Amino acid sequence: MKKINEITTGKAKSLFTTELSDRLIMHFRDDTSAFDGKKKEALLGKGSVNNQFNAFIMDHLESKGIDTHHIEVLNSTDSLVYKLDMFPIECVVRNRATGSICRRLGTEDGLVLEAPLFEFFLKDDDLGDPLITEDHILSFGWAKEENITGMREITLKINKILSELFLNSNLILVDFKVEFGLYDGKLLLADEFTPDGCRLWDIETLAKMDKDRFRQGLGDVVESYHQVADRLGMNIET
Ligand code: ADP
Ligand code: TMP
Ligand code: ASP
């Protein structure tokens, strides 16, 4: 499968059309961005580890009954995916409070939540990805009720599956963000699941092993992503 035209250039990935109109090549770049694009840097090897990390997680989720856009890995930085009509929405689940919720609610950093907390955010960098409710989504027509319910249910299911997977490797899945789209009317998990879009803490030391290392200038960003991959038994080609 060959790349034809670049149709999307995001902050960390690029999407290309292919000879099949319903399939795209997702290219993971080394570009790293945080704070809605305000902090940017290229980190050598990040595209490669993220592409393979994402494929491992998507395959694991598929094996547990989650339908995803992932078809196959093409090379170290590229994967083939179904082309979706994306919702302009980010679905977040938190198991512990950290990041934006602490700024918003004054919550103690690291607080273990009594139950996983699900939140919708509008995908709009210029607005700083604001928190929105189901009512906003319905009133503005960003998604229909059945898909709102579906996104919530699937995201919470993903939380269960992945919390267990990471826990088996002595990692706490603190929180994460996922995106969804429609393929022929069917709701599919889209985009990526990598340490760029989640928070992972070592179970004993609570050391951060995700993109917070970049956000907070802690260093060893790509090295930490590789350590997580190693712990999960992924075989990452560099
Ligand atoms: P951002 O949108 O945050 O700048 P990326 O660099 O990750 O981030 O860009 C990838 C883009 O591709 C995002 O806009 C995402 O919503 C979109 N996307 C992800 N998966 C698919 C898909 N299967 N079909 C169409 N668009 C997708
Ligand atoms: P937050 O604490 O900044 O709201 O982020 C919660 C989790 O979701 C964290 O793992 C980072 C991830 N996330 C993204 O990857 N991209 C986003 O645009 C948002 C809002 C969150
Ligand atoms: N809002 C998220 C962050 O601060 C994602 C992003 O901006 O790319 O990292």
Side-chain angles (χ1 to χ4, degrees):
M1 195 73 65
K2 279 201 299 270
K3 295 174 186 150
I4 300 180
N5 287 313
E6 184 163 343
I7 52 159
T8 308
T9 312
K11 296 191 292 294
K13 303 191 292 299
S14 302
L15 297 181
F16 296 84
T17 55
T18 65
E19 52 262 48
L20 294 174
S21 62
D22 70 337
R23 290 170 195 212
L24 298 174
I25 291 176
M26 183 173 262
H27 170 67
F28 287 73
R29 308 196 309 273
D30 286 345
D31 296 334
T32 312
S33 107
F35 310 119
D36 306 313
K38 289 186 206 76
K39 177 170 177 170
K40 284 188 222 164
E41 214 176 300
L43 300 175
L44 192 67
K46 198 202 60 151
S48 164
V49 68
N50 270 6
N51 177 45
Q52 297 170 70
F53 194 109
N54 176 62
F56 180 95
I57 298 290
M58 292 280 168
D59 286 345
H60 182 71
L61 290 172
E62 288 273 1
S63 78
K64 301 282 180 185
I66 305 285
D67 294 321
T68 83
H69 72 154
H70 181 74
I71 302 172
E72 60 175 343
V73 167
L74 298 174
N75 58 50
S76 65
T77 55
D78 297 352
S79 287
L80 190 66
V81 299
Y82 289 111
K83 181 179 182 183
L84 307 186
D85 291 323
M86 297 294 292
F87 295 108
I89 289 167
E90 307 194 326
C91 300
V92 168
V93 172
R94 301 175 195 272
N95 296 304
R96 287 185 179 229
T98 193
S100 75
I101 197 163
C102 293
R103 294 192 292 277
R104 218 175 327 123
L105 301 179
T107 315
E108 171 203 335
D109 191 50
L111 181 80
V112 179
L113 299 172
E114 307 244 332
L117 174 65
F118 178 88
E119 296 173 325
F120 284 118
F121 291 86
L122 180 66
K123 194 171 158 62
D124 188 325
D125 284 337
D126 293 340
L127 298 178
D129 292 345
L131 179 74
I132 51 171
T133 67
E134 229 177 278
D135 286 5
H136 290 94
I137 301 177
L138 280 173
S139 293
F140 286 99
W142 291 318
K144 293 207 165 64
E145 188 145 22
E146 72 202 63
N147 292 321
I148 297 174
T149 311
M151 286 192 269
R152 186 189 148 87
E153 282 177 6
I154 299 168
T155 306
L156 286 166
K157 199 167 165 199
I158 291 170
N159 183 50
K160 278 206 182 125
I161 298 167
L162 295 185
S163 289
E164 189 186 328
L165 179 79
F166 287 115
L167 200 60
N168 286 337
S169 296
N170 292 328
L171 290 163
I172 301 169
L173 179 59
V174 172
D175 58 25
F176 65 91
K177 179 268 298 180
V178 285
E179 296 179 25
F180 292 87
L182 293 179
Y183 179 81
D184 229 356
K186 188 174 160 65
L187 189 64
L188 298 184
L189 174 66
D191 204 52
E192 66 178 291
F193 193 105
T194 69
D196 268 3
C198 70
R199 290 191 173 100
L200 294 165
W201 294 354
D202 178 85
I203 200 169
E204 298 221 324
T205 64
L206 303 186
K208 300 173 200 298
M209 305 194 68
D210 53 72
K211 200 167 83 173
D212 267 351
R213 300 200 68 81
F214 174 70
R215 293 189 188 94
Q216 299 174 11
L218 300 174
D220 291 335
V221 182
V222 177
E223 292 77 1
S224 292
Y225 290 18
H226 274 286
Q227 279 174 27
V228 174
D230 285 349
R231 282 203 202 186
L232 268 83
M234 296 182 203
N235 197 4
I236 306 278
E237 281 176 36
T238 50

